[in-house]
Amino acid sequence: MNISCGTDIIEIERVKQSIEKYEEKFKENIFTLNEVKYCESHKSQKYQHYAARFAAKEAIFKAISKKLESNYSWTDFEILNNEKGKPEVILKNKIKEIESIDISISHCKDYAVAMVVVLYN
């Protein structure tokens, strides 16, 4: 078993501008329907939640990009909160090499950050 980690930080304003400029196309390319529902449910802070999930996916790609051969899309990884509020990564398409992904995300007024640890074969 191998371990890899990735981290990312992004300005929330950049994600907000992309969503406002490209609307549904941006959301469809990056986020799953469940992620969009979750983010949109946080009316006044929806861009913080979008940015946090964007950073999480970037961190995942950084952790696996040089380790695994397969091609992945943004929507192959879904970031949702469990019943206790902890974010979790759900693999939408089974990726046989990945055993598990642990994630931590956070955001404030201006930035969102994510850190992941991936266990893989």
Side-chain angles (χ1 to χ4, degrees):
M1 185 172 315
N2 297 292
I3 300 173
S4 185
C5 67
T7 188
D8 192 66
I9 185 169
I10 190 164
E11 294 170 330
I12 292 167
E13 186 63 27
R14 284 184 57 207
V15 173
K16 179 181 177 183
Q17 288 173 0
S18 293
I19 290 171
E20 289 177 347
K21 182 176 181 178
Y22 299 107
E23 291 283 328
E24 296 306 312
K25 191 67 174 166
F26 181 80
K27 290 180 191 176
E28 287 173 12
N29 287 335
I30 307 297
F31 306 104
T32 67
L33 290 175
N34 289 329
E35 289 170 326
V36 170
K37 287 178 192 174
Y38 174 82
C39 294
E40 291 293 328
S41 74
H42 291 81
K43 304 287 184 205
S44 65
Q45 293 186 338
K46 69 180 180 182
Y47 295 112
Q48 286 93 333
H49 291 277
Y50 277 118
R53 274 141 189 81
F54 187 92
K57 292 177 184 215
E58 278 284 342
I60 292 167
F61 283 116
K62 288 176 181 178
I64 68 172
S65 64
K66 293 189 178 170
K67 309 293 184 207
L68 306 176
E69 297 293 322
S70 303
N71 291 323
Y72 309 105
S73 74
W74 291 92
T75 56
D76 285 338
F77 305 97
E78 185 173 64
I79 315 301
L80 296 176
N81 292 4
N82 68 17
E83 63 280 350
K84 294 182 180 179
K86 182 188 182 316
E88 293 183 337
V89 178
I90 299 156
L91 299 175
K92 298 302 283 183
N93 294 317
K94 192 67 177 165
I95 301 166
K96 63 182 178 188
E97 301 97 340
I98 296 176
E99 299 265 338
S100 68
I101 302 175
D102 195 23
I103 189 165
S104 178
I105 60 177
S106 189
H107 53 81
C108 62
K109 180 182 174 193
D110 297 319
Y111 296 96
V113 64
M115 196 311 191
V116 300
V117 175
V118 179
L119 298 175
Y120 64 97
N121 296 324

